[in-house]
Amino acid sequence: MKFSSEDYNVLSYVLKNNFMSYEQAIAWAYAQYTDQGIDPFIEKLSLASDVAEMIEFISNTYQVYGEPSNEFLAGEAAKAYSEEKLSLYAAISRILFDLDLELPEEERQELYIAEDYFGWHDSAESQALVHAMPLFDKYRPIYERAVAKFSI
């Protein structure tokens, strides 16, 4: 499989954030070997002595610095919600306030409406889901596809 600079940007991100260990990265690199050989970049990557060296090699070769797209980051928060690692409120807040993603205005408005239910509405979660889930369902697959390339 041929990987793009955006793919390597995601790899750098997951390495930086300890979503993938050095051992997992090496195992992934070795899994790329086929009967036809291997991409020379991946071969060099598999020779790195630690995660920092891998990240540096990716950055120097592809000029990417582990800063994925807004859609990827929104998908990461949506995935964390779907796996119950974040509450709905925390996932919405992460997208709106922590990451301050530049999503389309209509989408940001839907998330602001969803966030606004918390703190005053008796069934805030169910009301907020109506506004947040379409966006979570849109962005979660972007994240899942990107990290699946690295067996995460």
Side-chain angles (χ1 to χ4, degrees), residues 42-146:
I42 294 175
E43 184 175 20
K44 290 178 185 174
L45 192 64
S46 72
L47 299 173
S49 60
D50 60 18
V51 168
E53 190 175 336
M54 288 178 163
I55 293 169
E56 181 180 353
F57 186 58
I58 292 168
S59 295
N60 291 341
T61 304
Y62 286 95
Q63 286 73 50
V64 294
Y65 306 98
E67 299 167 1
S69 70
N70 290 340
E71 293 81 7
F72 174 92
L73 294 171
E76 179 183 28
K79 178 70 171 178
Y81 169 72
S82 73
E83 293 178 340
E84 298 180 358
K85 293 178 181 175
L86 287 178
S87 68
L88 179 60
Y89 180 77
I92 293 168
S93 294
R94 178 160 171 72
I95 294 169
L96 284 176
F97 308 119
D98 299 342
L99 298 172
D100 193 26
L101 301 179
E102 293 183 24
L103 298 175
E105 186 59 32
E106 313 82 58
E107 293 178 357
R108 290 179 61 77
Q109 285 303 318
E110 286 298 310
L111 290 175
Y112 278 120
I113 291 167
E115 188 270 340
D116 189 52
Y117 281 109
F118 292 92
W120 70 270
H121 200 280
D122 291 337
S123 57
E125 182 127 350
S126 64
Q127 294 297 316
L129 272 172
V130 171
H131 297 278
M133 282 312 290
L135 301 176
F136 286 9
D137 290 342
K138 175 182 177 182
Y139 291 117
R140 188 181 62 254
I142 294 169
Y143 171 81
E144 291 171 339
R145 277 191 302 274

